[in-house]
Every structure is written in structure tokens, then in C-alpha cells.
């Protein structure tokens, strides 16, 4: 994931509904599954993995048939892949969180923008190539790394490198976890990644524990809070302040943490661009301010003097998600938080209601001083 893409997503809390170009077949999501962008069907000798096209409703993006003995398969309506894969090229830092949770970072043979990766991965000297920017993947360099497959995130404008790799015969694994609006929906994509490494059991157990802890925290808040604290998010960015709607990833996270959020009933499919005046009207007296991109209150003031007009600034209740980050811009928020939304939810609960988690220490968030 490029620096620009990370920044834009952080500012906007951007998330689109994963709906479903490959055929008119509808994607049937199993009951109880949180992720809406993929489906895994288990058979005796293989697994069938189907990916929805997030940009075309009712269409499929890709179909995979995974098997330890692919020579026994004869399907022509999808990509046949031998599992487990041993060498993977990846384009987004969000993929690293899944690999790390599954103990497969050593399989990484190429990554886009390696300076943006927080988790320890093989160095270039150890054979992990720099594949360029996620929005402009170097297809030839990908092929030179000789991966079993490349994992990519898709974007609405299309991707020439993706088409180049597909024509070359390179298996392309579509990981569109960032399109999921439910925090547990994003985390559940570990089951898809696990399928390609023949680690379905491990992936299922990881997700089951994540779900258990997340729902437990959510219930704790629901059972304990009588008066909700109000929340605001983001910053004034070049004259526009982007706020998440109530149906996107961060909006749902605020709701699960028991926050009183002005746009909780807004169903905008993405972020809401606002003037500073509108933000002041609805959020001037908000109790807490999260998702700031500043490191300190002084930096926040220097970015825009109007930031000091908010109650949360004046009471020093402003937080960013930069606690686990490096000087090069790498941030674990984009990696392990995708797999572990229960940690992110715990941060939010502690920020809002510290009495519910008296011994807790912030994991991704840090308080501006």
C-alpha cells in the first residue's frame, strides 16, 4: 500500500460495500460469515475459493481450485493452484498482517514499498524484491522473483500490471479485505489467505479467537455504559474534513465501542467531505477526538489554528493511531490491526471508557501531548 493510499484511507475512513466480472454466478456467503467478498467451499480433494468483484454487482472476480494434487483436477472455469504455496509476492502492507499471523512471512519473495512494512520480513539481500508502488506494480520484476502467486488488492480504475501478470500465466490472488465494512469481516480474510497455505485449521482458529474477544468487548460496553461519550475523527485536510459514515469500517468500530457519533445513522458508502464550519457545528463539544494524523497537540495547532477550538483539544483528549509506527512511515495499524480488530476495539473502549479496562495499555493509539 502506497504512502498516499495509506494517508487517504486514514483521513477518510474509506470503505466501500463489497458486492460482487467473471460470470453471472452469484456469490453465496455462508450463514454466519462476516466477510462478504469471498466464499470457500470444501470438497474431498480440493477447495473452491470464489472472490466477488467489488466494483460490479452480481459478478465474480475470480475462482480458484486449490489442491495438494492439482494434476487430478480438470476445471476450466477458474485457476488451479497447488497448495501449499511456498513463495508469494504481495502488493499491500495489509497482506503482511495475515502472513505474520499464519507464520508465513518467510514465504514473501516480493513486496511493494518495503519501507512501508512494519512487520519484520525478509530483506532484499535475503531475496525479497521491491516491486515498486502498489498502484504501479513492476510486473516484470514480479516475474523475476519466481513466485507461486502474487496477492493484490484491486482498485476501481483497473490495473495494467494485473492484466500483464494474468496474461503471463502468473496466478493472481485477489485479497480485497480493505473493501469490507465490518471489522470482523476484514479479519475473516485470514481464512482465505490460510487456504492458499493449506492452513485452514489454523486460520479458522485464529479468527474464532479474534471474534470471541471482539464480541466479548462489544458486549461489555453494551452492558456497562449508560451515558455514551461523544466522538469526532480526522483533521482539516486542505480545507476539507473527511468523516466516516456510520456504515463504514471506522463508523462501525465507533458504534461497537459505545461512542455517540453524529453520523452513526448516515449510510454514505464511503467518507463524508465536510467544511470546517460543519465539523465545528456538530463536533465542537465532542468528548474525544480520534484518528488524528498529528503527533502532538502543538503539531495539530500548527496544522490549523481552528483545531484548538474543539473541546477535545482543550481537554487533551486527542488520539492518533501512530503508536506502532516507524520514521519511514510504516505503521502496524495497517498490518496486524486488520487481523486483530479486537485490539483496535480495546483501544477505542479504553479511550472512551478507561474504567472498563483499568489495566489496559493502548496498543495502536497514542494520546497527543
Amino acid at each position: 500500500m502506497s504512502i498516499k493510499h495509506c494517508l487517504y484511507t486514514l483521513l477518510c475512513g474509506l470503505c466501500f460495500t463489497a458486492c460482487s466480472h467473471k460470470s453471472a454466478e452469484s456469490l453465496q456467503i455462508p450463514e454466519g460469515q462476516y466477510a462478504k467478498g469471498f466464499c470457500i467451499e470444501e470438497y474431498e480433494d480440493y477447495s473452491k475459493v470464489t472472490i466477488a468483484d467489488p466494483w460490479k454487482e452480481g459478478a465474480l472476480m475470480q475462482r480458484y481450485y486449490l489442491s495438494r494434487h492439482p494434476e487430478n483436477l480438470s476445471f476450466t472455469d477458474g485457476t488451479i493452484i497447488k497448495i501449499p504455496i511456498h513463495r508469494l509476492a504481495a502488493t499491500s502492507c495489509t497482506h503482511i498482517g495475515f502472513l505474520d499471523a499464519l507464520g508465513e512471512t518467510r514465504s514473501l519473495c516480493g513486496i511493494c514499498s518495503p519501507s512501508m512494512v512494519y512487520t519484520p520480513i525478509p530483506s532484499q539481500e535475503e531475496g525479497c524484491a521491491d516491486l515498486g508502488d502498489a498502484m504501479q506494480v513492476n510486473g516484470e520484476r514480479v516475474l523475476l522473483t519466481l513466485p507461486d502467486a502474487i496477492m493484490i488488492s484491486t482498485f476501481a480504475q483497473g490495473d495494467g500490471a494485473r492484466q500483464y501478470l494474468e496474461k503471463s500465466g502468473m496466478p493472481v490472488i485477489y485479497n480485497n479485505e480493505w473493501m469490507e465494512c465490518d471489522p470482523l469481516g476484514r479479519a475473516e480474510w485470514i481464512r482465505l489467505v490460510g487456504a492458499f497455505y493449506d492452513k485452514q485449521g489454523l486460520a479458522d482458529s485464529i479468527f474464532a479467537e479474534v471474534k470471541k474477544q471482539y464480541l466479548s468487548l462489544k458486549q461489555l460496553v453494551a452492558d456497562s455504559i449508560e451515558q455514551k461519550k461523544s466522538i469526532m475523527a480526522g483533521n482539516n485536510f486542505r480545507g476539507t474534513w473527511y468523516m466516516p459514515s456510520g456504515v463504514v469500517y471506522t463508523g462501525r468500530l465507533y458504534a461497537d465501542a459505545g461512542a455517540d457519533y453524529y453520523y452513526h445513522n448516515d449510510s454514505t458508502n464511503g467518507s463524508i467531505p465536510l467544511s470546517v464550519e460543519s465539523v465545528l457545528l456538530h463536533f465542537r463539544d465532542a468528548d474525544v477526538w480520534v484518528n488524528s494524523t498529528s503527533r502532538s497537540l502543538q503539531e495539530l495547532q500548527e496544522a490549523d489554528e481552528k483545531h484548538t477550538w474543539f473541546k477535545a483539544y482543550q481537554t487533551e483528549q486527542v488520539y492518533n493511531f501512530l503508536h506502532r509506527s516507524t520514521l519511514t512511515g510504516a505503521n502496524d495499524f495497517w498490518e496486524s490491526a486488520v487481523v486483530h480488530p479486537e485490539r483496535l476495539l480495546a483501544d477505542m473502549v479504553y479511550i472512551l471508557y478507561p474504567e472498563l479496562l483499568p489495566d489496559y495499555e493502548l496498543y495502536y493509539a497514542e494520546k497527543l501531548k
Side-chain angles (χ1 to χ4, degrees):
M1 183 176 289
S2 68
I3 295 175
K4 289 189 292 184
H5 185 65
C6 284
L7 178 59
Y8 183 73
T9 308
L10 183 63
L11 287 170
C12 302
L14 188 61
C15 178
F16 297 93
T17 302
C19 44
S20 323
H21 38 256
K22 203 164 183 77
S23 75
E25 177 184 337
S26 298
L27 188 67
Q28 300 298 319
I29 302 299
E31 185 177 352
Q33 180 169 317
Y34 290 83
K36 305 304 180 185
F38 75 89
C39 178
I40 301 176
E41 300 170 70
E42 300 287 351
Y43 297 91
E44 184 176 353
D45 299 321
Y46 67 92
S47 299
K48 178 182 175 181
V49 179
T50 313
I51 308 293
D53 187 333
W55 312 108
K56 297 182 180 180
E57 186 172 2
L60 303 184
M61 177 161 279
Q62 185 56 281
R63 184 184 295 108
Y64 309 94
Y65 295 97
L66 313 182
S67 176
R68 300 183 187 91
H69 305 286
E71 65 276 4
N72 297 331
L73 304 183
S74 57
F75 298 104
T76 59
D77 62 343
T79 301
I80 298 174
I81 297 180
K82 181 178 181 178
I83 57 172
I85 59 175
H86 298 287
R87 291 174 61 80
L88 180 74
T91 62
S92 173
C93 60
T94 61
H95 303 158
I96 305 301
F98 297 112
L99 298 182
D100 188 45
L102 293 168
E104 291 292 348
T105 55
R106 298 301 302 179
S107 71
L108 202 64
C109 62
I111 183 68
C112 290
S113 305
S115 64
M116 296 295 292
V117 177
Y118 181 89
T119 303
I121 60 172
S123 65
Q124 292 189 51
E125 291 73 21
E126 294 173 309
C128 186
D130 182 348
L131 304 180
D133 186 271
M135 303 296 287
Q136 295 179 313
V137 181
N138 189 319
E140 293 182 354
R141 194 174 296 172
V142 171
L143 296 179
L144 288 174
T145 65
L146 301 177
D148 295 325
I150 180 170
M151 183 173 290
I152 70 172
S153 298
T154 57
F155 304 99
Q157 71 272 26
D159 186 343
R162 180 186 78 197
Q163 298 170 5
Y164 169 81
L165 291 168
E166 287 180 328
K167 289 180 180 179
S168 74
M170 171 65 61
V172 175
I173 301 171
Y174 296 100
N175 187 337
N176 296 325
E177 102 293 323
W178 71 283
M179 303 289 285
E180 299 285 350
C181 294
D182 190 304
L184 287 175
R186 289 193 185 184
E188 195 167 12
W189 280 75
I190 194 171
R191 297 180 54 244
L192 175 130
V193 179
F196 287 90
Y197 282 95
D198 200 15
K199 288 188 172 182
Q200 297 95 322
L202 176 60
D204 287 346
S205 65
I206 290 172
F207 178 69
E209 184 60 26
V210 167
K211 180 176 72 171
K212 176 183 176 181
Q213 293 187 32
Y214 189 97
L215 295 178
S216 178
L217 270 172
K218 180 180 176 180
Q219 192 62 49
L220 172 65
V221 172
D223 292 342
S224 306
I225 300 305
E226 296 182 1
Q227 184 67 38
K228 292 183 177 181
K229 289 187 178 179
S230 54
I231 196 170
M232 62 178 288
N235 302 278
N236 178 15
F237 184 66
R238 297 178 180 176
T240 303
W241 199 305
Y242 295 95
M243 289 273 186
S245 74
V247 299
V248 302
Y249 180 86
T250 46
R252 293 192 181 190
L253 185 70
Y254 301 160
D256 291 345
D260 177 13
Y261 180 55
Y262 180 78
Y263 289 111
H264 74 280
N265 283 327
D266 191 293
S267 59
T268 300
N269 201 13
S271 60
I272 306 169
L274 302 166
S275 66
V276 178
E277 290 73 21
S278 295
V279 177
L280 281 166
L281 177 64
H282 300 302
F283 296 95
R284 186 165 193 160
D285 294 323
D287 296 308
V288 300
W289 179 350
V290 298
N291 217 8
S292 170
T293 56
S294 296
R295 288 280 190 176
S296 68
L297 292 172
Q298 180 178 350
E299 182 181 329
L300 191 60
Q301 178 180 0
E302 291 173 352
D304 193 323
E305 186 68 28
K306 295 185 182 70
H307 289 156
T308 66
W309 299 355
F310 293 92
K311 172 187 171 181
Y313 178 94
Q314 296 163 4
T315 58
E316 300 185 2
Q317 292 298 309
V318 187
Y319 298 81
N320 61 37
F321 289 117
L322 301 174
H323 182 59
R324 296 171 62 83
S325 60
T326 69
L327 294 177
T328 63
N331 190 347
D332 195 32
F333 175 84
W334 300 111
E335 297 173 29
S336 71
V338 178
V339 186
H340 290 286
E342 82 283 8
R343 297 175 183 170
L344 189 55
L345 180 60
D347 274 10
M348 291 298 305
V349 172
Y350 182 78
I351 289 170
L352 289 161
Y353 312 108
E355 67 278 7
L356 297 184
L357 301 172
D359 300 320
Y360 184 75
E361 294 184 6
L362 291 172
Y363 196 82
Y364 300 109
E366 67 178 6
K367 190 175 183 179
L368 274 60
K369 298 178 180 179

